[in-house]
Amino acid sequence: MLTPASPKYGSLVVIALLAFALSIQAVIAVEAVKFKVHQVGSQGIPIYQVRIVDMNGDGLPDILPTIASFEERRLSWFENPGWQRHVITKVAPPVGLWTAAQDLDGDGIPEIALAAGFTPFDVEKASGELFLLQHQGSTSALWQERLFDRLSMSHRVEFIDIDGSGDRLLVVSPVVGGSAESLEVYPGTTPLVYYTPDGQHQGSIKSDIVGYVHGMTAVDFDDLPGDEVLTAGLQGVWLHKPQRKEGSLQWTSELLVPGFKGPTEFDRGASDVRVGKLVDGRRFLLTVEPFHSGHAFVYLQNGTAWTRYQIADDLTYIHALAIGDLNGDGSDEIILGNREDVFETYVYYATDDTATSWRRHLLDDTMGGTDCNVADLNRDERLDIVCGGHYSKNLRWYENLGK
């Protein structure tokens, strides 16, 4: 029998402590990435969204931001690699909030859908203009803009491929219905609609979503040809699937997770959603819950059920969320930006293959990320990060230097 006084006992204790220390070190020594910060454009511009897209057909991803301002009326893009600014339109509608980009005519240059006229503090005055912008053959020429509809409180727009054939639709999500008096306290329904790419026809995806719908993302959710649409709002996260049947387009909607369940009728749901994958092929959901909160969650799928794990509880106003494999280990990492109060943006790494626990690393303590996205900007086969801040008023890209 070993006792504390036995020499062999002491050796075993040392071995056990070393093994424990190494296991702790393995958990703490997350495969974190080093980043180099680059400013894009001038400081002082309130950025709401960042879209990464090749704007001139040269094969390099450029940066297309939107500016949430009544004073700054220009919509511009920044050209990779020198980040020269090109003005798309000089008289953009007030608060050009969200864009989607897609080459619709096959000329190698994307057309841009723009949702504008968003006034969150005066819903009755929200004009909800929807524009389609088309280039005129030169990076120095202003783009042609065409108003194709008005849908009050239009907030998110995304192009989707219906069935993998290149047959596109434009999906538009207002944040609330036209009868709303505020965003947070709204018991009515919010429409989710689609248009043909040229904006000539509108159809309904789901007309009876209750309460706000703040987040929307387009993704291949079922690993079959074509895209699905996820929305996040008061009722939680919905999955919307398009399908052509007998020549007509039909949609099915499924509530994946209800999100936060607070003490009041409106203190629930999810503010936004993204979809990621782990190295073993499992899918996960990333949500912010509830509306404009400082709490983020990961949902792991187990059959048809989803298990929820909290990864952030000490931020105040998460608005930016993005997903991508930053360290090349086969599993996606998470980027979260705190928009207000304290300007902070973090990268979260799963501590092990179960992805039930995540450890964060500070990316930038002066970036109040309102939106972030990932892409390989400098062709070094590493995903870089682009973030814009509404209240911190900055636009930056973070060069991935590896581990």
Side-chain angles (χ1 to χ4, degrees):
M1 178 178 177
L2 291 176
T3 67
S6 305
K8 191 175 286 187
Y9 179 91
S11 299
L12 289 175
V13 169
V14 171
I15 292 171
L17 288 174
L18 282 172
F20 177 74
L22 287 172
S23 67
I24 292 296
Q25 185 179 8
V27 171
I28 295 175
V30 177
E31 296 292 320
V33 168
K34 297 178 181 178
F35 291 94
K36 182 179 180 180
V37 183
H38 302 268
Q39 179 74 26
V40 178
S42 58
Q43 183 78 15
I45 300 176
I47 304 298
Y48 189 82
Q49 180 212 16
V50 290
R51 182 76 69 175
I52 305 174
V53 59
D54 181 1
M55 292 291 292
N56 56 0
D58 66 355
L60 292 175
D62 307 300
I63 299 175
L64 172 64
T66 59
I67 300 172
S69 170
F70 286 96
E71 292 76 29
E72 174 58 68
R73 301 291 290 273
R74 294 181 297 174
L75 181 67
S76 305
W77 63 279
F78 293 87
E79 183 178 357
N80 190 353
W83 309 115
Q84 178 184 358
R85 183 176 184 175
H86 301 282
V87 177
I88 295 174
T89 174
K90 287 186 177 180
V91 192
V95 193
L97 195 71
W98 204 262
T99 63
Q102 184 67 49
D103 181 11
L104 300 175
D105 56 14
D107 65 356
I109 309 296
E111 279 65 49
I112 299 171
L114 171 67
F118 184 78
T119 54
F121 303 112
D122 194 347
V123 176
E124 291 183 357
K125 292 184 179 179
S127 51
E129 291 102 339
L130 294 168
F131 290 88
L132 190 66
L133 310 176
Q134 190 169 32
H135 78 101
Q136 300 301 294
S138 169
T139 56
S140 61
L142 296 179
W143 291 40
Q144 181 185 59
E145 53 184 279
R146 179 172 63 84
L147 175 69
F148 66 87
D149 203 357
R150 286 185 172 90
L151 185 61
S152 179
M153 294 301 288
S154 292
H155 186 248
R156 295 286 187 266
V157 290
E158 293 288 348
F159 285 106
I160 68 165
D161 185 340
I162 300 173
D163 54 12
S165 67
D167 188 6
R168 302 284 175 179
L169 292 176
L170 176 67
V171 179
V172 179
S173 172
V175 70
V176 289
S179 63
E181 296 181 359
S182 72
L183 302 189
E184 291 88 346
V185 182
Y186 173 59
T189 58
T190 300
L192 181 65
V193 301
Y194 68 89
Y195 296 81
T196 52
D198 58 3
Q200 295 299 314
H201 172 74
Q202 182 197 95
S204 175
I205 297 174
K206 189 171 175 61
S207 60
D208 59 352
I209 301 176
V210 176
Y212 71 85
V213 177
H214 181 264
M216 180 177 74
T217 187
V219 64
D220 178 9
F221 190 79
D222 56 11
D223 296 324
L224 296 174
D227 297 325
E228 288 75 44
V229 176
L230 272 73
T231 56
L234 183 68
Q235 289 184 313
V237 175
W238 286 93
L239 170 66
H240 312 276
K241 290 186 175 185
Q243 186 178 8
R244 290 204 181 278
K245 288 186 177 180
E246 299 179 354
S248 66
L249 184 63
Q250 299 180 16
W251 292 81
T252 60
S253 298
E254 174 190 357
L255 185 65
L256 295 182
V257 296
F260 188 77
K261 297 179 181 179
T264 69
E265 179 183 0
F266 300 103
D267 187 24
R268 53 189 173 91
S271 188
D272 216 333
V273 61
R274 296 291 185 273
V275 180
K277 281 194 173 181
L278 302 173
V279 67
D280 59 9
R282 285 182 299 154
R283 181 187 295 112
F284 69 87
L285 303 177
L286 167 67
T287 64
V288 175
E289 302 175 14
F291 184 71
H292 280 174
S293 82
H295 305 274
F297 300 85
V298 162
Y299 288 83
L300 298 177
Q301 192 171 17
N302 182 14
T304 59
W306 295 88
T307 304
R308 181 172 177 256
Y309 301 91
Q310 187 160 13
I311 66 167
D313 63 358
D314 58 349
L315 302 179
T316 57
Y317 201 122
I318 302 172
H319 202 278
L321 60 166
I323 284 176
D325 184 4
L326 302 174
N327 58 11
D329 66 354
S331 288
D332 286 335
E333 279 69 54
I334 290 169
I335 301 106
L336 296 178
N338 201 65
R339 186 175 86 168
E340 297 179 30
D341 301 325
V342 178
F343 299 148
E344 295 173 332
T345 298
Y346 292 92
V347 177
Y348 290 73
Y349 301 83
T351 58
D352 57 33
D353 290 343
T354 67
T356 58
S357 175
W358 295 69
R359 185 175 298 277
R360 76 182 186 187
H361 290 252
L362 180 66
L363 178 68
D364 191 337
D365 61 2
T366 58
M367 168 57 71
T370 303
D371 189 36
C372 295
N373 261 305
V374 300
D376 181 5
L377 296 185
N378 54 0
R379 291 180 168 177
D380 64 355
E381 299 184 351
R382 299 187 185 115
L383 287 180
D384 308 298
I385 303 172
V386 178
C387 291
H390 181 190
Y391 292 101
S392 57
K393 297 183 178 181
N394 41 16
L395 176 63
R396 293 171 182 166
W397 78 278
Y398 303 86
E399 182 182 359
N400 187 334
L401 303 179
K403 298 175 238 181

